Amino acid sequence: MTLEMAAECHPQRIAVTSTDTRLTCAELLAAARAAALGIREAGVKYVGMLDINSPAVPIALFASAYAGVPYVPLNYRLTRGEIEALLARIAPALLITDEPVVAPLTLPPGITVMLRSEFQRRALSAAPTEISAPGEPRDAAIQLFTSGTTGKPKAAVLRHENLMSYVLGTVEFASAAEDDAILISVPPYHIAGISAVLSSIYAGRRMVQLPNFDAATWLQLCRDQKVTNAFVVPTMLSRIVDHLQLHPGDARMPSLRAIAYGGGKMPLAVIEQAMRLLPGVDFTNAYGLTETSSTICLLGPDDHRSGFGSADPLVRRRLSSVGKPVPTIELEVRGEAGEVLGPGQSGEVFVRGGQVAGEYLEQGSLLDTDGWFPTRDRGHVDEYGYVYLEGRADDVIVRGGENISPGEVEDVLLEHPAVSDAAVVAVPDRQWGESVGAVIVLRENAQATDAELQDWVRQRLRSSRVPTAIRYVDQLPFNEMGKVLRRVLKQQFADLKS
Amino acid sequence: MRLLKAGTRAKCAVCDTEVMVVRAAPVEVQVTCGGVELIAMDGAKAPGAHVDAAAGQSALVGKRYVNAADVVELLCTKGGKGQLAVGGEPLSVKQAKPLPSSD
C-alpha cells in the first residue's frame, strides 16, 4: 500500500538505484505486482531472500505483500549448515538468491530456487497486472531470524500492522525533497535494511544500494550519487572514521546532511571522532530491535551537538544515550519483581506500542496481558527521560546474588591507556557462582599486567567488578554487524578451565 | 454505519478517495467523503456526485485526518475530491511532529 501511494503521488521519482539499474516508483510497483503473480502461482508458504542488496530486494519485499506470503531475508554470511537449517524451517519456499551463494548448498526439499537475475528480468519484463494486496493487517509480513548471538536463531514474526505502525509513527508521507537520497549499506536481512526500504518509499527518498560495505566505496557513492542521508552500524562508522583519518580529503561530501546509526553499541570515541571529521552532518542514534519493527528510541542531532561540545559531564554523557522513546512508543524499566523503577535505577527495558511485534514463530507472543514486551536489554532512564543501555540481560554476570552489567566494567577497562578493546563475560566461580572474566585487546606496543588492570577497575568500581580472569587476544570475535560474540568468549573461558 | 477497525481500508463510492483506518474507537460510526458514505474496497462504485461537494477541501494522499476528539484517525491512501467526515463532523489534517530520519 505504501508503494501504491508513492507510485500514485510521484510515479516518475527514482525509487532505487543500484550499480547498473534504476527503477522509478511506478516501475517498482509494476515489478512487485508481476512478481507477486509468480509467487502466487508457485504456491509457496514463504519467499526467501538469500542475497546481497539489489533492486530484487524491494521488489521481493513488496511482491511478497501482494502475494500474501511472508518475506524472509536470510543471512548469506552464515555457514552452509546454518543456512540449510534455516531453509528447512521455511519450506515450501521460493528462494531468491545468487549462483555463488546457492551453489555449495544442499537444498532441503521444498525449496525452489530462482536466481536474482532471472527474478528481476521476469518482474521487469512482465505485462502489467492490476492485482491488489490481501491487505490483512494481522497477516505476517516478514519473518526474520534473529542473529542468535546467545543461541539458536529465533524466527521473529512482524505483521503488516506492526510495520505500518512503525512507518506511520516515524515517517511523514512524501516528506523527502526531490533530490533526497539515502545510502543503504546494511544487509537486507537486518531489520534496519527492511525499515530503510519501507521508510524511504513512504518518504519518497531515493535509495542508493551498496551491496558490500567498505569505507572507500561508501564515501565514493556518497559523493557520486549526491547522497543526503545514510544509516550505518557502529563498525561501519568506525571504518569510515579510520579511512577519513588517512584520507582527510574524502570528507568532502557536500550533499550529505544526516547519518543515523544503530544496531549495536557505539563507542564514544568513534562518534566523537566522526562528529569532528564531519562537522556539517546531523547525527542520530536509533535504538531498536528486530522484534519492535526497528527504531523505538532516538537521540537526535541537537542532543549530539550539545553533548559533543559540553563541559558538563552530565550533558556530555548523553552522547552515550540512545535518546528518548519515539512518540508512539511507551518505555518502562522494571526490576526483578516486575516493579517499575524510577530514574537512574537499572533494570530490564520494557516497551509497548503498535510497532512492537514481540512474537516468535515457535514461542508465540512474548507480550504480557497489557501489551508490554521485555526487550532483554538492561538499562536505565535518567531524570530527563534519556535512555541508557547497559547490555543484554542474558549477559549479566550474577556474582553471589549481585548483578553486574558487562558494559560498566568494559567502559572502565576501555579508559585504560593500554587497552584498545575489551569484552567482559561471566566465568564460572566456585565461591561466587559466577565472576567477572575480561578479554583484552592491547594497543600496539602497549603493555599491561593482570594486577594493573585489576587495580584500575578496583579504584573506579566496587571490588566485585574486578576481573578474576583476564585473557589477552589480538582481536575480539564479532559477528558481521559488529556485535561481540559473547557466547564464543564464554566458551573459551570454559575450555581453559577444563 | 459500521465498526471501524485499525488497518481496515475503505473507498469513496463516487470519487477517487481511499483511506485506511489508523485508530478508531470501538463504536459504530459513519465515515463519509463529500457527504457520501465510504464503501468496502471491493464494493462497486456508484455513479453520482458528492452530496456535499462544495464543503471544504479535498482529501490529500499521505495526510492523516483526525476528528476534534482525536479518537478517529484515517490515513488517506489515495487522494480524491471530497472532504472526509466522521458522524457528520469534518476531519482535519493532523499536524506532524517531524522526527529525524532514523533509517
Side-chain angles (χ1 to χ4, degrees):
Chain A
M1 190 193 72
T2 55
L3 178 58
E4 280 174 35
M5 286 168 67
E8 180 83 20
C9 184
H10 33 241
Q12 295 316 314
R13 200 177 269 202
I14 303 294
V16 56
T17 50
S18 196
T19 15
D20 50 354
T21 320
R22 54 171 28 197
L23 297 178
T24 64
C25 289
E27 286 165 341
L28 180 58
L29 175 62
R33 282 180 160 153
L37 273 188
I39 296 168
R40 282 188 191 174
E41 279 160 18
V44 290
K45 275 170 70 185
Y46 291 99
V47 172
M49 171 67 69
L50 182 66
D51 198 12
I52 53 173
N53 258 320
S54 78
V57 167
I59 296 174
L61 172 61
F62 290 110
S64 303
Y66 271 109
V69 170
Y71 169 73
V72 190
L74 296 158
N75 183 349
Y76 46 86
R77 291 190 176 104
L78 296 175
T79 63
R80 253 178 62 180
E82 286 168 329
I83 294 175
E84 287 162 7
L86 293 182
L87 287 176
R89 288 165 71 180
I90 61 165
L94 178 72
L95 183 68
I96 301 155
T97 182
D98 197 16
E99 187 63 43
V101 187
V102 76
L105 299 177
T106 310
L107 292 172
I111 300 293
T112 312
V113 166
M114 189 182 284
L115 294 183
R116 177 216 308 157
S117 51
E118 176 67 6
F119 174 76
Q120 228 165 282
R121 192 191 59 75
R122 284 197 198 184
L124 292 172
S125 61
T129 154
E130 278 298 314
I131 61 164
S132 53
E136 244 333 295
R138 289 288 300 154
D139 279 354
I142 284 163
Q143 188 176 304
L144 255 189
F145 289 101
T146 58
S147 55
T149 41
T150 49
K152 182 186 166 198
K154 289 179 289 191
V157 179
L158 300 175
R159 301 181 183 279
H160 287 287
E161 59 184 2
N162 304 130
L163 299 174
M164 208 58 210
S165 172
Y166 167 71
V167 171
L168 291 178
T170 57
V171 192
E172 191 63 17
F173 181 70
S175 55
E178 193 145 350
D179 55 1
D180 274 12
I182 178 165
L183 181 51
I184 300 183
S185 48
V186 276
Y189 57 81
H190 192 274
I191 182 63
I194 292 167
S195 62
V197 173
L198 299 174
S199 299
S200 304
I201 290 292
Y202 197 65
R205 185 176 288 130
R206 175 168 60 100
M207 294 181 273
V208 178
Q209 296 177 321
L210 171 57
N212 289 302
F213 176 86
D214 73 87
T217 318
W218 189 91
L219 290 159
Q220 178 81 38
L221 268 178
C222 272
R223 273 190 302 277
D224 293 353
Q225 290 284 337
K226 299 194 170 55
V227 164
T228 57
N229 298 64
F231 178 90
V232 290
V233 298
T235 327
M236 293 175 184
L237 192 60
S238 164
R239 293 199 190 142
I240 292 165
V241 163
D242 289 348
H243 180 96
L244 288 179
Q245 279 170 325
L246 293 174
H247 310 92
D250 287 355
R252 265 194 49 251
M253 294 171 286
S255 56
L256 187 66
R257 290 197 304 263
I259 294 178
Y261 60 88
K265 190 182 174 185
M266 174 66 78
L268 195 58
V270 174
I271 184 62
E272 287 189 329
Q273 191 63 354
M275 291 180 71
R276 215 168 282 135
L277 290 164
L278 301 167
V281 171
D282 285 346
F283 284 91
T284 297
N285 184 357
Y287 160 53
L289 294 90
T290 299
E291 297 88 336
T292 60
S293 316
S294 189
T295 309
I296 50 177
C297 284
L298 284 177
L299 185 77
D302 294 343
D303 282 324
H304 273 83
R305 292 222 160 83
S306 58
F308 183 60
S310 182
D312 180 348
L314 268 179
V315 179
R316 183 161 179 258
R317 213 170 94 80
R318 265 183 214 156
L319 270 184
S320 54
S321 149
V322 294
K324 295 178 177 178
V326 298
T328 43
I329 282 285
E330 296 170 88
L331 184 144
E332 277 178 8
V333 175
R334 296 188 191 173
E336 263 160 44
E339 77 282 14
V340 177
L341 300 175
Q345 292 178 289
S346 293
E348 185 175 351
V349 176
F350 279 69
V351 290
R352 177 163 77 172
Q355 72 186 72
V356 178
E359 185 185 347
Y360 302 106
L361 195 63
E362 296 84 3
Q363 294 149 281
S365 174
L366 295 194
L367 305 189
D368 69 12
T369 45
D370 297 321
W372 289 94
F373 171 67
T375 61
R376 305 298 294 149
D377 278 329
R378 284 183 61 81
H380 68 272
V381 183
D382 74 6
E383 54 185 312
Y384 304 102
Y386 289 87
V387 180
Y388 293 82
L389 297 179
E390 298 157 6
R392 297 292 288 168
D394 311 279
D395 297 331
V396 164
I397 301 159
V398 186
R399 181 184 182 273
E402 189 184 356
N403 287 339
I404 302 170
S405 286
E408 61 172 327
V409 185
E410 286 165 4
D411 287 347
V412 166
L413 286 168
L414 283 169
E415 286 165 20
H416 190 282
V419 174
S420 108
D421 210 350
V424 162
V425 294
V427 292
D429 188 291
R430 192 175 284 181
Q431 190 183 356
W432 299 101
E434 285 179 350
S435 67
V436 175
V439 184
I440 303 287
V441 182
L442 291 173
R443 288 188 193 284
E444 234 170 277
N445 304 322
Q447 288 187 343
T449 62
D450 286 7
E452 221 178 291
L453 293 174
Q454 284 165 333
D455 260 359
W456 179 268
V457 175
R458 192 174 295 113
Q459 280 163 25
R460 287 161 181 82
L461 297 167
R462 266 170 282 174
S463 61
S464 59
R465 268 67 173 166
V466 174
T468 51
I470 300 182
R471 286 180 51 229
Y472 301 86
V473 294
D474 292 335
Q475 204 185 351
L476 293 177
F478 289 104
N479 75 4
E480 73 285 350
M481 299 309 294
K483 286 184 185 168
V484 176
L485 294 169
R486 289 177 198 276
R487 90 185 121 90
V488 173
L489 295 175
K490 267 187 176 180
Q491 192 56 48
Q492 288 169 353
F493 270 115
D495 293 346
L496 281 181
K497 289 246 163 177
S498 56
Chain B
M1 205 63 102
R2 56 200 187 120
L3 202 62
L4 297 183
K5 218 178 80 202
T8 306
R9 297 177 64 184
K11 67 181 180 188
C12 177
V14 294
C15 78
D16 289 337
T17 301
E18 290 180 7
V19 301
M20 185 188 78
V21 181
V22 177
R23 278 182 301 131
V27 286
E28 291 207 343
V29 286
Q30 190 180 41
V31 185
T32 53
C33 173
V36 179
E37 181 158 18
L38 297 189
I39 58 172
M41 289 304 282
D42 52 5
K45 289 267 188 190
H50 287 134
V51 181
D52 207 357
Q57 70 274 56
S58 347
L60 300 173
V61 66
K63 294 291 179 197
R64 286 190 273 171
Y65 291 87
V66 288
N67 64 352
D70 198 22
V71 238
V72 176
E73 179 174 338
L74 305 176
L75 170 71
C76 176
T77 55
K78 195 168 180 186
K81 290 195 181 68
Q83 184 177 40
L84 292 165
V86 167
E89 176 200 349
L91 302 182
S92 54
V93 172
K94 183 181 178 176
Q95 290 310 318
K97 293 157 270 175
L99 289 174
S101 170
S102 64
D103 49 26

